[in-house]
Amino acid sequence: MEEKTVKEQALEIAQLLEDGKADDVTVIEVTKLTSCADFFVIATIHSAAHWQGLAKQVKDYVKANEMQIHLTHTKSAGGDDWNVIDIGPVLVHLMSADARNFYELEKLWHAGNFIKGSPVN
């Protein structure tokens, strides 16, 4: 079986999040902008329970694809504000609507290549 590219993996994770009812899923290639990752996958979540369910699906995907989670970080105690799952070349940002509107990652990383979704003006 042919090994998947990081781009294919990022897009599969995005699809997994959409299938899990995350909103406004965006994939940005940031290879030329930062050394911390090649792709950001950003999605809006609805609650701490929603985050936990999506995080489990991402972790199952990582395991099935022989990838490795380097770090999971939660920005709020309830887990429903902003959560980052660091899979090395892919950073998955699971954010509440309020956090997403406040931090505006799409605007911050507007110079990236938007593979899925579009930059916010």
Side-chain angles (χ1 to χ4, degrees):
M1 188 167 97
E2 198 173 306
E3 192 170 316
K4 296 175 187 172
T5 66
V6 175
K7 179 179 179 180
E8 289 171 331
Q9 291 171 332
L11 287 170
E12 286 181 354
I13 290 169
Q15 186 61 55
L16 182 80
L17 297 174
E18 283 185 337
D19 292 347
K21 306 298 185 209
D23 291 332
D24 302 320
V25 179
T26 301
V27 179
I28 309 171
E29 183 178 8
V30 294
T31 308
K32 296 178 181 175
L33 304 175
T34 183
S35 61
C36 74
D38 294 330
F39 292 89
F40 287 172
V41 178
I42 307 167
T44 301
I45 58 170
H46 306 287
S47 66
H50 192 210
W51 135 249
Q52 291 169 352
L54 291 176
K56 182 184 182 330
Q57 290 180 15
V58 170
K59 290 174 184 177
D60 289 347
Y61 175 89
V62 166
K63 185 176 181 180
N65 286 274
E66 299 179 355
M67 300 166 75
Q68 182 178 0
I69 292 178
H70 299 280
L71 177 68
T72 301
H73 179 72
T74 302
K75 190 169 181 323
S76 73
D80 56 357
D81 188 30
W82 183 2
N83 302 278
V84 178
I85 302 171
D86 180 351
I87 310 169
V90 180
L91 284 180
V92 180
H93 299 265
L94 302 175
M95 307 175 80
S96 69
D98 288 344
R100 194 147 178 199
N101 289 332
F102 181 79
Y103 292 103
E104 297 182 321
L105 293 183
E106 288 89 346
K107 280 187 180 179
L108 184 64
W109 294 95
H110 71 277
N113 181 17
F114 281 71
I115 306 296
K116 179 176 181 52
S118 59
V120 177
N121 296 326

